Amino acid sequence: MIQGKGTAVFAGIAIGKAFLFSHSAGELPVFCGDVQKELQAFDSARETARQQLQLLFEKTKQELGEEQAMILDVQCMMLDDLDYIEAVQQQIQQGRSAAAAADAVGTVFSQQFADMDDDYMRARSVDVRDMAKRLTAILSGTNAELEITEPVVLLADDLSPSETVQLPKDNILAFVTCQGSTNSHTAILARMMSIPSLVQAQIPLNSTVQGKTIIVDGFEGCYYLDPDPDTLAKMQEKQKTAQQKQQLLEQYRGKPTISKSGKKVKLFANIGSPDDVAYVLKGDAEGVGLMRSEFLYLGREDFPTEQELFEAYRSVVEQLDGKELVIRTLDIGADKKVDYFGLEPEENPALGYRGIRICLKQPEIFRPQMRAIYRASAYGPVSAMFPMIASVQEVLAVKEFCKTIREELTAEAIPFGEVALGVMIETPAAAVISRELAKEVDFFSVGTNDLTQYTLAVDRQNEKLAEFCDTHHPAVLALLKMIVENAHAEGIWAGICGELGADTTLTEEFLKMGYDELSMSPAKVLEVRRIICESEE
Ligand code: PEP
Ligand code: MG
């Protein structure tokens, strides 16, 4: 038995046969001796790749939504990149086969992207490599599609976006990859599919593992390859218990979230894009408590227009069909950098130009968002909330801005509804002055990820500090208590939308404090509902 660790991206137990994913197509064909033939082969391979990508685009759109499918669109565009085409043609003219040239230039270009400063461009390195691999496979006459005919645990060094989307998902019990991060495409897919998976796993990837039994423990972040009978029996038991627990939760589907003493809590979900609403509904969340607008700004070359923002928000409202939606205005800055914002590098980005600070200083960025939010409110219940608030003055400025937007829309005869305005409590300053803030807004939503970071002075991005990031620190809990008390004293509701909202060891404590809403990853909703419904609080 080999036992190893990894970073878990979804809790659960999977037991199955290991399937070693292999990207490479073996030996590449050598130069055929005729430059024209190789050039033609390259052109026709680009055409075949385009057709494959279009089919894949449609399949992905149906299975995972348009946003995931757009990744393939980027690759389609790269097939027409003149720099790439000319570099390949040049190598062919120097006597290389089309396959070898497509592969070699792909490697060079992919490295150039990987070396760029901009996060978005760096991430495109994978797309370039993926596109070149597809061309190479076509030119080598190998089949890029993967044949998996039985349920397996898929092992890979890493999976590119297009490899991930074309996997036969019904037959994948878990992913284990040596690379990748908790935000990699594989991790996102694993969470969507609710399958236990590990990234950054220390696992030998050679032919001896193929077909061996492997256990993935997504609770503990570890795997057992070729387990001994004792371990296998223990893990089968653990799997059974987890499945029974999940099954038991089904009785809470569709039920109201009310504690035994009659306290009603809104159990909402956090999302980043319109495509995520499918998971909100599948998870039985009662609404959306945090739509992170900045995701509409990431992965683009330029600002989204007001119309694009409006269409994204309206799509969420319409899919929610009457359920509440809380839209958080964009929180770009700190870890979420976008080139076209032209933000200067900062010594302390988490304490820098981010969130509401950008919106207040750059109304040309704030205006289209607020207009889009108000316009979407004509289609269903919408609230807006603002990140990184630290003073009453900021709230007054935001309210004044919203008033101007309402006046503009009224003058233009554009319909809009009532939009409740709330603030995120993410800074210790906001927590301390929450009684004053509560007089100015309709609700609070506590961003415990940032509130913890700022209260404990622990950078939430720095993995080395994980042991110092005590999310249950008495200072954080005291602030949480104070925030909800101040909210209620001024007659407004308070919720939690940071990761702590899904921490089931604190659910009873939050009930006791009086929280009215908890917003979390959709997969956690039924579990938290069970605790609330069983609580005496
Ligand atoms: C938070 O800070 O807790 C929060 C919900 O916002 P984000 O994680 O997007 O910073
Ligand atoms: Mg935050």
Side-chain angles (χ1 to χ4, degrees), residues 28 141 172 207 223 250 258 273 304 309 318 335-336 449 465 514:
L28 295 179
I172 311 266
S207 54
Y223 69 84
E250 281 302 313
I258 305 178
S273 78
L309 291 168
E318 288 181 342
D335 57 315
K336 297 166 197 138
N449 308 336
L465 299 179

Side-chain angles (χ1 to χ4, degrees), residues 290 292 294 328 331 336 354 387-388 424 426 447-451 453-454 460 497:
L290 168 65
R292 290 180 163 101
E294 60 274 15
R328 189 237 338 248
D331 191 11
K336 297 166 197 138
R354 62 173 290 194
M388 295 302 297
M424 289 194 72
E426 302 181 281
T448 47
N449 308 336
D450 277 317
L451 186 63
Q453 142 164 282
Y454 297 126
R460 65 191 256 194
C497 65

Side-chain angles (χ1 to χ4, degrees), residues 348-422:
N348 291 303
L351 304 181
Y353 190 52
R354 62 173 290 194
I356 199 64
R357 300 167 186 177
I358 295 182
C359 288
L360 288 175
K361 295 283 275 184
Q362 294 182 253
E364 73 280 9
I365 295 178
F366 203 15
R367 172 164 288 103
Q369 276 180 85
M370 287 316 303
R371 284 179 59 101
I373 292 172
Y374 272 104
R375 285 173 59 192
S377 72
Y379 297 81
V382 170
S383 305
M385 68 179 178
F386 307 94
M388 295 302 297
I389 292 289
S391 73
V392 173
Q393 288 72 15
E394 287 161 1
V395 174
L396 295 178
V398 164
K399 284 172 70 182
E400 191 55 34
F401 194 88
C402 291
K403 185 164 161 259
T404 317
I405 298 294
R406 290 194 297 272
E407 285 164 2
E408 271 177 30
L409 293 174
T410 307
E412 294 166 37
I414 296 176
F416 59 91
E418 281 285 324
V419 176
L421 300 179

Side-chain angles (χ1 to χ4, degrees), residues 328-344:
R328 189 237 338 248
T329 57
L330 81 109
D331 191 11
I332 286 290
D335 57 315
K336 297 166 197 138
K337 287 267 164 38
V338 182
D339 241 20
Y340 59 80
F341 273 69
L343 302 176
E344 304 274 316

